[in-house]
Structures are given as C-alpha cells and as structure tokens.
Amino acid sequence: MPSLRVDLPSFAGTYRSAAGLVALGNCNGATARRLAAVLRGAGAVPGRAPLDVELPAVPEALQGLRRTVRRHLGAPCPDVQLCVTELVTNVIRHVREGAPVRVRVARTHGGRIRVEVTDPAAQALPVRVASGPDDETGRGLALLDAVALRWSVPRGVEGKTVWCELRDVDAAS
C-alpha cells in the first residue's frame, strides 16, 4: 500500500486482537447469545431469577403459560399475562403454530417488569393494523400499546425478540 506509506507485510505482523466490546463481533453464535443474555440481564433485580421458558407456540400452551407467569410474579398480573399471551399468539398466527419460542419475564430496576418473546423468524415483524368493531383478530399490538410503558422488536441472526416493559405489580401496590 504505497499510497499510505505502509509496508503491508510488516503491518500485518503488528495486529493485536480486539479487546472489550469490540471483541464481541469476533465470537461465534452461541457465545454471542450467552453474552447478549448477560447484557440483557444487567438490569435485572439481584436475587430474583427471571422466568425463562422455552416451548412450542401452540394455543394449548397459553393457559399454562399465563398461570406460570402469575406464580412466578407472586401476584395477580393481568397486564403481564395479556402481553405474554398476545406475543405468543402472534408467533402462532404469523410465524407458524409449533414454532419454538422463548418467553422471559424479569423484574428490573425502576419498578418494571420486562417481557421478552423470542422466535426464529426475524423477517416476520409485527405490524399494528386497524381492526373494525366486528373483527376477531388484529388487536394484539393495540393492546400491547395500551398496557406497556414501551416496547420494541430487535432482530438478530437467528430470529427476533419482541419485548415490552410494564409497571411492576409489586411497585403498583
């Protein structure tokens, strides 16, 4: 590379491996997922393990999932249960019934509960649609908007995660 006045063979010999967060791009998929999980858990309340469930997205699993969320939080939590149900139902309808999902519910600092539903279809992004008064579907994201403080959909290499944050049921009391 004469224009840069760099002798390429000697330059190549001085490479130092990346350190810190820059090195994250150099890891394999499994390591990246573990690191992302640790970073996501950084806001979790110490001493309270999150609920972390992997299951097939099937209608028959929804009732048990709602019950599991309520038991995990230890209090009535209809808004959290609604969000979990709507997000998993979106996977059933728009990805495919039986798709593997990961549901994570965690208390975070600041009096919030974070719900995450991860599925393998990064391209199937949720879209809020207008539904008529007689429509039986199409209200899931409107409900999420109504009860969640905020929500988003980051995409990854192996899928997407729809997450939302709600007021903690303990903090609301």
Side-chain angles (χ1 to χ4, degrees):
M1 299 170 88
S3 63
L4 298 176
R5 297 185 186 159
V6 174
D7 177 30
L8 193 55
S10 63
F11 177 76
T14 62
Y15 174 76
R16 292 186 198 147
S17 63
L21 291 176
V22 175
L24 289 175
N26 297 331
C27 61
N28 64 29
T31 302
R33 282 189 298 280
R34 284 195 308 272
L35 288 170
V38 168
L39 292 173
R40 272 195 313 270
V45 176
R48 287 193 147 165
L51 172 68
D52 202 343
V53 180
E54 292 187 21
L55 67 151
V58 293
E60 300 80 20
L62 295 174
Q63 183 179 15
L65 188 55
R66 284 190 298 269
R67 190 173 32 249
T68 300
V69 167
R70 185 176 59 247
R71 285 182 185 150
H72 174 74
L73 295 175
C77 52
D79 289 350
V80 177
Q81 291 172 305
L82 174 72
C83 289
V84 168
T85 300
E86 290 301 326
L87 294 176
V88 174
T89 298
N90 277 351
V91 175
I92 294 168
R93 286 207 174 110
H94 303 292
V95 175
R96 77 177 190 291
E97 187 170 331
V101 294
R102 178 178 178 220
V103 177
R104 188 171 190 274
V105 178
R107 282 193 160 96
T108 65
H109 293 288
R112 293 186 177 187
I113 294 176
R114 182 176 175 104
V115 172
E116 298 176 357
V117 175
T118 303
D119 69 67
Q123 75 285 359
L125 295 176
V127 176
R128 187 171 174 183
V129 296
S131 59
D134 296 327
D135 292 342
E136 293 186 21
T137 62
R139 293 181 179 83
L141 293 180
L143 291 169
L144 193 70
D145 269 341
V147 300
L149 300 170
R150 62 188 189 134
W151 66 277
S152 185
V153 189
R155 291 191 289 181
V157 175
E158 296 181 2
K160 70 176 174 303
T161 299
V162 182
W163 64 264
C164 64
E165 289 184 352
L166 303 102
R167 282 187 178 73
D168 192 336
V169 291
D170 284 349
S173 307

